[in-house]
Every structure is written in C-alpha cells, then in structure tokens.
Amino acid sequence: MRRFLSLLTILAVSATACGGGGDAGSDDAVRIGYITPLTGGYSALGTDNELAVELAVAQVNADGGVLGRQIELITRDDQSEPDQAVLAFNDIQSQDPVAVIGSAVSDSAMATIPAVERAGVPYISPTPADEQLDPLRDEVFVVPATAAAYAERALQYFQAEGLTEVSVAYSATTYAVAGFLATEELADDYGIEITAVNEYQQDTTDFGHVFSELDSVDPQALLFWGTGPPAVTFAQQYESVEADVPLVMTGAQASHLWLEPAGDAAEGVTVLSSIGVVGEHLPEGEQKQVIDEVSAAFSEEHGYAPPQFALDGYSAVQLLVAAIENAGSTEHADILAALEELTLVTPNGTYAYSDSDHAGITTDAISVNTVEDGAFVPVPWAVEQLDAAYGG
C-alpha cells in the first residue's frame, strides 16, 4: 500500500495536484480528465466527489506522483446535464488526457460513453449504472457497486430477515431503473414477491399515491430507488403518514446530503451503503485501515466524514493510479490492459477487475445499515456479513 504524507504536506501541493480546476500546464504532467456536476441539480453530490478526487490526487503528488510525474486534473463541470457531459468530454479530449474520470451522474455517464468508445480512452466511472457494463466496453470501468449488486444485497437482507413481500418505488433515471429491473429479475431467486411498483419523475413532490396503497398491498418492506432531492421528500412524507412498513433506501442516500435535510425522518430508515461509509464498524484488518486513513484525511480537511460519493471519487483515483503504475506507461492500451489485471484494496472495498468483469466488486462491499442518532450503523445481519468477509 502507498504511504501518504501528512495532511499539511498534501495541502502544500494541492495547487499543483489539481491545477486549480483548469487546464494542464506542464508537458511532463500526467493529464487526467475529470467530469463532475458542480452546478445544477446534482451539484452537492459532485462537490463531494470533487473534494475527494482532489484529495487523492494531492496525496499521490505529495508521495512523488505517478511514474515520477505529477498529476494534473483537467476538471470540467457537466452542469448535471447529459449533453453538457458530452461537451465536457470532448473539450477534455482536445488536451490529450491519459484517462478520464467520469461524471457521478448516471445519465451523464451513459451519454458520454459513445464518445469514450470512439476515443479509446480509459474511462473510470464513479456511477453505478449497470448499462455501462452491458455490453462490456473495453474502455469503461465502474467504481461503485452496480445497481444490480445493491438490489441483490437488499434481497439477501430481506431473505435473511424472513421478508417475502416487498413494494418498490423508483425514479425514471438510469440508476433507479437499473436498480428496479435488477430487483424484479432477482426477486424470485430470494423468495421475494414484489407486491406493488410505482415509478415517479425527478420533479415529483407528492408521493401520496405510493403510500396510499400500502394498506391494500400490505408489503413487509418498501424499497426506494432514487437520487437527489426526491429521496428527502419521500422520507419526510413517509414519516408523516406513520406507516409501519420498514423503509429501505439504497446507496444514493448514504450521504449527509440526504441524512441532514431528512432530519428526524431519517431515523430508523434502512440505508444500504459502501462499506467505506461504515468503516469504523468493520473488523480490524487491511480493509478497515484503508478506510480509516481516508476518512481521517477527508474529515480533517472538510469537517465531516466522506460520504458515498466522495469514496467513489477517491477510489477512482486510486484505481487509475495503480493501473498506470502497474502498466509502467501512460498509453491508453497499456492502462486498459493493466486495469483488467488489477486487484486493489480501496475505501470502497477490494477490487478485482478482469477482462470479463469491469465492475470489480460484489455484494461483499455493500453494508445494510439503519440510521441511529443521525448516523449510519450496520444492522446485526450486516455486522455478521462484514465480519465474515473482512475478519482476520
């Protein structure tokens, strides 16, 4: 494992590491493109992602860079819009990057992929949309556990808890649709019946139609797939109807961006997350140590623990840097080949990419938590799973 220098040293080189969010200025630099939503509806998500990406790059540069060269980010705002993500990618490509870290917004990532394939550039995606991997694309490697993996982890949990009837609400977004379809496809394997399905739009502000049918369909859990502000509204309205059906949310809510505005309505809600979000609850070992190191550095610099989106960005940098170092080259083909042979412990879990697997992690990298006093705490079943997967 790389040993990073102190935070003071990291801060001292931050300007060099990130290029002030502008264009690369040194011919000797390893130029990495970076697309993220800094404005628009997903700007808060993108900002957390950017803070972690910049921290990771600063740490690498403080530790000597990659192949003895400093990294310079070419950062572009996709404005939370797919068409702007494509424009951002095309602009970055004009500056000859060795690789690109893509948008944290699933719809933006999907819009960018055709241009990625044409360019043949390594593309590290911090969004879990399953369509990025189906069909498998030579250039695209995904960082977060996929929506399908989150769906399977939720179903594993339902089965373990003896729950057999579940209702689903999902948004008309790439991530949520993929999550619902995977839930629907895998439900029978875990003895789960989906008793009701409700699709909603991102601008929905009234979820009464979802809650009104709970009495008639009588589910044992309500699984919510969505991102952004609707998740806050959903939780608050769910609390107001005083339903006794457990509410379960997925990784997009594993963040202060949902937890804080949801307030008291978040208490008792079940939320799936990357293991990095609950690293303090993991058994002692290498995986916990890696998470603790990142959490301490991020918290010291920004005053709060890294949420899901930050961990995705940080892990993206680690994976890319490790592939470049293993390749001993910044040529696109060499980096792609190294990624397909890469095994690496990151704050998101232990990745093992291959020529047939560009996801790299499985359900073992997902925890099932409940919100207690404003914090994510693994449920007893999840504690058992984490001990089995990461205990010494």
Side-chain angles (χ1 to χ4, degrees):
M1 295 298 296
R2 300 178 66 90
R3 292 192 176 276
F4 299 122
L5 301 185
S6 69
L7 185 60
L8 289 176
T9 305
I10 292 166
L11 293 175
V13 300
S14 291
T16 300
C18 304
D23 299 344
S26 169
D27 290 339
D28 190 50
V30 175
R31 296 179 176 87
I32 295 176
Y34 174 46
I35 304 168
T36 193
L38 297 175
T39 57
Y42 294 98
S43 59
L45 179 161
T47 298
D48 274 341
N49 189 264
E50 182 188 36
L51 293 175
V53 166
E54 290 183 345
L55 173 62
V57 170
Q59 289 178 328
V60 171
N61 282 346
D63 203 33
V66 56
L67 303 182
R69 298 158 60 188
Q70 296 287 284
I71 294 174
E72 292 186 9
L73 288 180
I74 309 169
T75 301
R76 293 292 180 268
D77 176 16
D78 70 12
Q79 303 173 37
S80 303
E81 297 291 343
D83 60 339
Q84 293 301 313
V86 175
L87 292 174
F89 178 83
N90 291 337
D91 181 46
I92 288 170
Q93 275 303 104
S94 69
Q95 299 177 58
D96 195 26
V98 303
V100 174
I101 297 173
S103 177
V105 179
S106 293
D107 290 349
S108 292
M110 289 305 303
T112 307
I113 284 177
V116 169
E117 292 185 284
R118 288 193 297 271
V121 63
Y123 183 83
I124 312 299
S125 180
T127 182
D130 296 58
E131 290 91 335
Q132 298 173 108
L133 302 171
D134 186 16
L136 190 70
R137 298 168 171 92
D138 292 341
E139 300 83 5
V140 180
F141 293 78
V142 172
V143 178
T146 63
Y150 271 98
E152 185 162 18
R153 195 57 152 177
L155 292 168
Q156 291 172 352
Y157 172 64
F158 294 151
Q159 182 184 60
E161 295 296 302
L163 307 181
T164 58
E165 298 181 347
V166 176
S167 290
V168 179
Y170 71 97
S171 68
T173 59
T174 301
Y175 165 71
V177 170
F180 162 65
L181 292 176
T183 304
E184 187 177 51
E185 180 180 351
L186 295 170
D188 284 347
D189 295 343
Y190 291 91
I192 307 296
E193 177 187 357
I194 299 177
T195 60
V197 175
N198 286 280
E199 182 181 15
Y200 66 90
Q201 300 302 313
Q202 275 297 97
D203 59 357
T204 299
T205 58
D206 184 354
F207 294 95
H209 65 289
V210 179
F211 308 137
S212 63
E213 70 179 5
L214 291 177
D215 288 339
S216 60
V217 299
D218 194 28
Q220 295 168 301
L222 174 56
L223 179 60
F224 175 92
W225 286 96
T227 59
V232 174
T233 304
F234 193 93
Q236 291 172 335
Q237 292 181 4
Y238 185 78
E239 181 191 38
S240 70
V241 301
E242 298 182 345
D244 58 2
V245 179
L247 175 58
V248 180
M249 293 184 153
T250 61
Q253 284 71 59
S255 165
H256 67 106
L257 300 176
W258 173 79
L259 198 60
E260 292 172 3
D264 291 342
E267 289 295 312
V269 175
T270 300
V271 181
L272 281 70
S273 77
S274 160
I275 57 172
V277 173
V278 292
E280 64 185 296
H281 299 281
L282 264 63
E284 294 298 328
E286 182 182 10
Q287 182 65 75
K288 177 178 171 58
Q289 180 182 353
V290 168
I291 295 170
D292 287 349
E293 288 175 354
V294 175
S295 294
F298 188 95
S299 299
E300 184 174 350
E301 187 166 351
H302 301 296
Y304 57 94
Q308 179 77 63
F309 310 115
L311 295 169
D312 295 338
Y314 191 98
S315 297
V317 174
Q318 285 194 315
L319 290 161
L320 181 54
V321 167
I324 294 171
E325 289 185 332
N326 290 351
S329 167
T330 56
E331 294 297 320
H332 294 168
D334 295 335
I335 296 171
L336 291 171
L339 280 166
E340 289 192 337
E341 298 178 351
L342 182 64
T343 298
L344 188 71
V345 181
T346 81
N348 263 359
T350 301
Y351 289 80
Y353 289 132
S354 71
D355 59 2
S356 61
D357 181 5
H358 288 194
I361 54 176
T362 66
T363 57
D364 284 346
I366 299 172
S367 179
V368 180
N369 317 301
T370 188
V371 179
E372 295 182 3
D373 297 325
F376 298 111
V377 179
V379 300
W381 176 82
V383 171
E384 294 176 359
Q385 300 299 308
L386 296 175
D387 284 345
Y390 301 104

